[in-house]
Amino acid sequence: MTAPTPPQGPAQGGPQGPQHFTPPPAEPVSQSSARKNLVIAGVLAGGGCLLVILVVIALIIYFAVRGGDSGGGGGETGAADLPPEEQAIALVADYFDALAAGDAATALELNPVNEDMGAAPLPVEAYTAALEAAPITGVELGTPVIDDGGLAEGEVPVTFTVGDETVSDTYRVHDYDDDGVMELTGGHTMTQVPDGLDGLGLTVNGAEVTAGEPIALMPGGYEVALGAEHFALTSTDPLLVGELASSLEWPEATLTEEGLTAFRGAVDDAVQACLEQTTLEAGCGMTPVPTTSDDGWTMVENTVERSISEDTQRTIDTMEATPSSDEPTYVEGTSVGSVTTTIECTKDGQKGRCEMWLGGGMGIPNVDMADPELPVTWS
């Protein structure tokens, strides 16, 4: 006996139990169709990556251009959309924020030293040292005053403290190229290095400067120093720059104690050499001995004897020296004083020793302190 065959299809007349169906077999896919689908998917994925890359490049170019639009001394991109008053206050505020932070590099970007100012900038390290020596604090900005009748320009009042000195000043802004962006103009103190410090290895905050050359200074403290041997400055206090129109009092050059000792030694050596001369003519600015006197005595060559008093020697040993105003390495002393001068003389067969009236006093010594030999000349 065999088992009954399950009904094929729905039974008629009565409820049916659960139905079970076997799905038809899937239609086979050819290899060429699979490759076509894969290529299409790759193209779509590659196109998406390419789109992302193009967006990134576009953003990079945008921000590069945005950064490049911001020039030294001017406002940021978009500043042209702000009223001139807001530009002015923001520009001066940013500049003094940089000063207060000791950030000389940023301060110079906002307020650069341009060639048309007629003054040379110092290295940024020198300005950084200036802000460290005399920090900028207590900055307060006033209400800007803008004249926009033509090319917009204006002034921003500023009060601040540099070191321990309170300063009230006005900073100018100007849209000089009519691009709608204000810039700081003339925001530096201009000063000329004195000629009286020429040839002495002058530095300002460690930066070498040249006598007679104008330099541009931002607010702060500036240490002036000399590199030449034998020389020092009359003051070691830093130059304090506050107001833009500051009139700086530069120190003067003087000899160090060692330099003064060397000067006096050079003068004394020159004097002793002149005193040893027995000729009618001698150095050290002394008047030559005349060959004959008014009463008929004849002076004998190579018989002259010269000497100085203790007081005159003391004058040499304590002599003060002053660097020349136009050539400071050329240092001037004071008058040495009188010299006692006697000479063998003859008249009508008589022989004796004559004395020169006032002795032919010496002149004023000048020593070239830049020359290692310390040569002495007389005036």
Side-chain angles (χ1 to χ4, degrees), residues 125-365:
E125 294 81 6
Y127 294 122
T128 299
L131 296 174
E132 292 175 354
I136 308 301
T137 58
V139 179
E140 296 182 4
L141 304 184
T143 302
V145 178
I146 302 296
D147 177 8
D148 55 2
L151 295 176
E153 60 180 325
E155 299 178 344
V156 179
V158 184
T159 300
F160 61 96
T161 299
V162 52
D164 56 1
E165 179 179 310
T166 301
V167 176
S168 294
D169 211 339
T170 300
Y171 278 71
R172 296 188 59 80
V173 292
H174 191 192
D175 180 12
Y176 74 94
D177 52 4
D178 198 22
D179 63 353
V181 178
M182 306 291 278
E183 299 185 22
L184 276 167
T185 56
H188 296 282
T189 296
M190 308 298 175
T191 184
Q192 183 164 318
V193 182
D195 290 329
L197 299 176
D198 187 28
L200 300 179
L202 178 65
T203 60
V204 175
N205 278 0
E208 292 185 4
V209 295
T210 303
E213 177 184 88
I215 56 176
L217 305 178
M218 66 174 57
Y222 295 85
E223 179 183 349
V224 182
L226 301 178
E229 185 181 9
H230 303 312
F231 287 90
L233 293 166
T234 53
S235 173
T236 57
D237 294 337
L239 298 176
L240 190 64
V241 176
E243 294 184 5
L244 291 174
S246 295
S247 179
L248 303 182
E249 295 185 7
W250 288 79
E252 297 179 352
T254 187
L255 290 180
T256 61
E257 284 301 319
E258 293 79 3
L260 189 56
T261 298
F263 171 86
R264 291 167 177 167
V267 172
D268 187 56
D269 289 345
V271 168
Q272 299 306 321
C274 290
L275 295 177
E276 292 174 2
Q277 293 178 309
T278 60
T279 55
L280 297 180
E281 288 195 22
C284 299
M286 291 186 290
T287 303
V289 176
T291 57
T292 59
S293 66
D294 292 340
D295 54 0
W297 288 86
T298 299
M299 308 302 138
V300 180
E301 181 67 279
N302 294 322
T303 64
V304 181
E305 293 181 359
R306 298 177 173 91
S307 63
I308 57 176
S309 66
E310 291 184 358
D311 286 343
T312 300
Q313 183 62 54
R314 190 174 301 110
T315 297
I316 297 171
D317 295 340
T318 60
M319 185 177 291
E320 294 300 322
T322 305
S324 171
S325 60
D326 57 350
E327 191 176 355
T329 56
Y330 196 65
V331 180
E332 184 178 78
T334 57
S335 177
V336 171
S338 62
V339 177
T340 300
T341 305
T342 63
I343 319 99
E344 186 177 310
C345 52
T346 62
K347 179 183 180 182
D348 300 331
Q350 300 179 65
K351 183 182 292 187
R353 290 201 69 81
C354 298
E355 183 174 349
M356 186 176 179
W357 187 60
L358 296 180
M362 296 184 179
I364 297 174

